[in-house]
Amino acid sequence: MGRSPCCDESGLKKGPWTPEEDQKLTNYINKHGHGSWRALPKLAGLNRCGKSCRLRWSNYLRPDIKRGKFSQEEEQTILNFHAVLGNKWSTIATHLPGRTDNEIKNYWNTHLKKRLIQMGYDPMTHRPRTDIFNSLQHLIALANLKELMEHNHSWQEQAMRLHYLQNLLQQPHNNNLSTLSAIQNVEAYKLLSSLKDSQFLGTNNHLGNNTVPIQDSIPFSHLPELHTPCSFQTSLNKDKVGPQDSEFMVLSNGEVCSFQTSLNKDKVQPQDTEFKVMSHGEVCSFQTPLNKDKVRPQDIGFTVLSHGEVCNFQTPLNKDKVGPQDTMFKIMSHGEVCSYQTPLNKDKVQPQDTEFTILSHGEASPTSPWLPSLSPSPPLVINDQRSKENSSEVVISSCLPNESWKLPDYPFRPDSEQSLNKIEEAPPFMWSDLLEDSFFQDIDKF
DNA sequence: AAAGGAACCAACCGCGGTGCA
DNA sequence: TTGCACCGCGGTTGGTTCCTT
């Protein structure tokens, strides 16, 4: 059943607002507040529908609206949030005081989107665009990939190739693929599916049979579900905790993350300590089956903010003891270090003592307790950043077989002025670099 | 100076979520 | 449970301004 448009009543004015109308609306709202928008026009003496009044007020007349050019910082904020959230204009607007969702949307469509396109980035995915030439090369690569998979390559090389396929399938914000990338995805998915029963993904391989749970008949737009282990091993617990002991999985938005570890696995079922990573700005809950009688879902929520912003663990349960700033940490982008050092523990904990690394969704640690045991077990790549004097810093920088293999990185890195840690700038990802990889040079010989 | 196109942005449209009877 | 009203959001439109020829 359709709803009739709110402004279809005859005689109601549409179109641009006059200064007199603005004045009437402003005066009324200043005096009485807006209350019911539907009732407002009559009460304010306006021949407009309530919806039109609401839009005029919220997008133009509101006193806290900042007008004028967007600053570089604001542009950066929009880009960063858009990379995380997509077209969630109202959510983005909550992080730009004085700017409306409409203004941000317009600015995006007229300025930023074009700029990204000019720079060769897909404005929806914030990844390098796949033009016809790159697409052709990738399709050629894909066409040869299956053959190469059947050769006897090391597990590292095979994992890299699989990871490349996963990258082709990755669409972070939406499923609206451009024609060319859709072709790539179809081809990549077909290939990934065809490999399901192949030697590479069979039972007698290093990565195990369940590493990539490919289902039949899933649309190409759906990603294979892969888990990303993050480790909490720190200098404080490294004697007790092995790299694989306190991993958890960062899954995509809305999926459950579990804190079951090898240390607690006898007491804790995978579902006992789960939480959800929601998209930017949404509350994540730590309510679990173990604490659900004492803790309501909203009691121990925290908010996942975008890259570089502070996340807070203050909750209704600890708010008397913990100030908003006491238990914050930062979620950095893929591969970067997150720190748990807080004002409460800063005497005992060095910034690097409680850091961990967020890996991207879709990478699998060969030694993760979440995965079937591997035989032989490939080694974890552990970056030992310890200096001789300070032997406390151990960061698992990559669980991937080849450390140089990284997901494409968004080129607009947020200003990390507020960072607790100095993050080493990763080299920007270039598709051309990928194509120079020996793997693709091998392909070129075919 | 005039015409046409591009850029900009306020406003509209329609859908989805929520609350209430 | 259902239907309705309301609100908010994101996509789109169309009028205005700016720029180029």
Side-chain angles (χ1 to χ4, degrees):
Chain A
M1 138 193 48
R3 184 188 309 166
S4 59
C6 74
C7 298
D8 65 351
E9 294 127 281
S10 59
L12 287 184
K13 193 181 169 200
K14 288 167 75 172
W17 281 64
T18 64
E20 290 75 28
E21 286 177 311
D22 283 346
Q23 197 58 54
K24 277 184 182 175
L25 182 58
T26 308
N27 288 345
Y28 181 84
I29 290 176
N30 285 342
K31 241 181 179 173
H32 306 98
H34 62 71
S36 161
W37 286 111
R38 174 157 282 225
L40 185 145
K42 247 184 191 165
L43 296 169
L46 286 161
N47 190 28
R48 295 265 182 179
C49 72
K51 194 169 181 174
S52 181
C53 295
R54 176 169 55 81
L55 281 171
R56 184 63 181 171
W57 175 257
S58 58
N59 285 340
Y60 200 84
L61 297 175
R62 242 173 47 202
D64 57 333
I65 285 180
K66 189 202 286 183
R67 311 215 68 87
K69 267 197 80 175
F70 279 77
S71 68
Q72 265 196 326
E73 289 73 28
E74 286 176 314
E75 282 187 4
Q76 192 67 70
T77 305
I78 296 170
L79 285 165
N80 293 334
F81 278 106
H82 189 272
V84 177
L85 300 168
N87 296 357
K88 298 280 176 205
W89 306 119
S90 59
T91 314
I92 294 171
T94 62
H95 297 275
L96 289 163
R99 302 292 187 182
T100 67
D101 54 353
N102 206 37
E103 202 179 3
I104 293 166
K105 179 175 60 184
N106 283 334
Y107 193 70
W108 170 264
N109 285 328
T110 54
H111 293 90
L112 300 179
K113 192 170 156 185
K114 284 177 193 166
R115 207 181 303 166
L116 276 185
I117 291 169
Q118 278 168 5
M119 290 171 67
Y121 284 86
D122 182 327
M124 293 315 291
T125 62
H126 294 242
R127 289 166 185 266
R129 288 175 77 194
T130 49
D131 61 24
I132 184 71
F133 300 108
N134 271 347
S135 289
L136 283 173
Q137 269 192 287
H138 283 261
L139 288 169
I140 291 165
L142 285 163
N144 290 294
L145 200 51
K146 189 180 176 182
E147 268 184 81
L148 279 169
M149 290 288 195
E150 286 161 9
H151 292 193
N152 285 328
H153 290 285
S154 68
W155 70 270
Q156 286 99 332
E157 290 169 297
Q158 295 196 357
M160 275 181 63
R161 286 156 198 174
L162 181 62
H163 195 70
Y164 169 67
L165 281 173
Q166 289 161 8
N167 268 296
L168 284 182
L169 286 160
Q170 213 160 7
Q171 292 292 324
H173 298 310
N174 60 40
N175 297 325
N176 300 327
L177 310 177
S178 72
T179 310
L180 285 171
S181 63
I183 293 168
Q184 282 185 3
N185 276 273
V186 170
E187 292 306 315
Y189 180 72
K190 273 187 196 164
L191 182 53
L192 207 47
S193 298
S194 75
L195 290 169
K196 183 176 63 171
D197 302 318
S198 74
Q199 180 193 0
F200 178 59
L201 295 175
T203 48
N204 298 323
N205 66 68
H206 297 314
L207 291 177
N209 200 27
N210 298 320
T211 306
V212 186
I214 302 169
Q215 301 152 25
D216 288 325
S217 308
I218 59 172
F220 67 83
S221 56
H222 293 146
L223 300 178
E225 189 182 335
L226 293 169
H227 299 163
T228 303
C230 294
S231 172
F232 278 88
Q233 189 196 39
T234 73
S235 62
L236 291 180
N237 68 6
K238 68 183 174 188
D239 296 327
K240 296 184 199 151
V241 179
Q244 73 290 357
D245 282 341
S246 44
E247 293 181 354
F248 69 101
M249 303 282 176
V250 172
L251 300 174
S252 61
N253 173 54
E255 293 182 42
V256 172
C257 296
S258 171
F259 277 89
Q260 189 197 40
T261 73
S262 62
L263 290 181
N264 68 6
K265 67 182 173 187
D266 297 325
K267 296 183 200 152
V268 179
Q269 292 305 304
Q271 72 282 8
D272 283 342
T273 44
E274 61 198 21
F275 70 102
K276 288 191 179 207
V277 171
M278 311 304 290
S279 64
H280 171 262
E282 292 183 39
V283 172
C284 296
S285 172
F286 278 87
Q287 189 197 40
T288 73
L290 291 180
N291 69 6
K292 66 182 173 187
D293 297 325
K294 297 182 199 152
V295 179
R296 289 164 304 155
Q298 70 278 20
D299 283 342
I300 37 177
F302 70 101
T303 302
V304 172
L305 300 174
S306 70
H307 172 260
E309 290 189 36
V310 171
C311 293
N312 191 312
F313 277 89
Q314 188 197 39
T315 73
L317 290 180
N318 70 4
K319 66 181 175 189
D320 297 327
K321 296 182 198 152
V322 178
Q325 73 291 355
D326 284 341
T327 45
M328 59 209 193
F329 70 103
K330 292 193 177 210
I331 292 207
M332 312 305 288
S333 66
H334 170 257
E336 292 183 35
V337 172
C338 297
S339 172
Y340 276 88
Q341 190 197 38
T342 73
L344 288 182
N345 69 7
K346 66 182 175 188
D347 296 326
K348 296 181 199 151
V349 179
Q350 292 308 303
Q352 68 280 12
D353 283 340
T354 45
E355 60 199 21
F356 68 101
T357 301
I358 292 207
L359 300 174
S360 70
H361 175 254
E363 294 172 14
S365 161
T367 58
S368 167
W370 294 87
L371 301 175
S373 62
L374 306 165
S375 179
S377 181
L380 267 177
V381 178
I382 295 182
N383 236 10
D384 191 338
Q385 299 177 355
R386 283 177 279 199
S387 68
K388 297 297 169 206
E389 303 78 50
N390 178 6
S391 62
S392 63
E393 190 172 357
V394 179
V395 177
I396 299 174
S397 65
S398 174
C399 293
L400 286 171
N402 183 337
E403 213 193 338
S404 67
W405 185 277
K406 291 205 166 77
L407 283 174
D409 224 349
Y410 184 60
F412 302 97
R413 290 172 166 272
D415 188 349
S416 56
E417 258 176 36
Q418 301 170 319
S419 291
L420 295 171
N421 307 304
K422 273 271 178 228
I423 307 297
E424 207 174 309
E425 193 80 0
F429 176 88
M430 299 295 290
W431 283 105
S432 55
D433 293 345
L434 173 63
L435 293 168
E436 279 167 18
D437 183 276
S438 63
F439 164 49
F440 284 97
Q441 284 172 9
D442 283 349
I443 291 174
D444 289 340
K445 292 174 193 156
F446 280 79

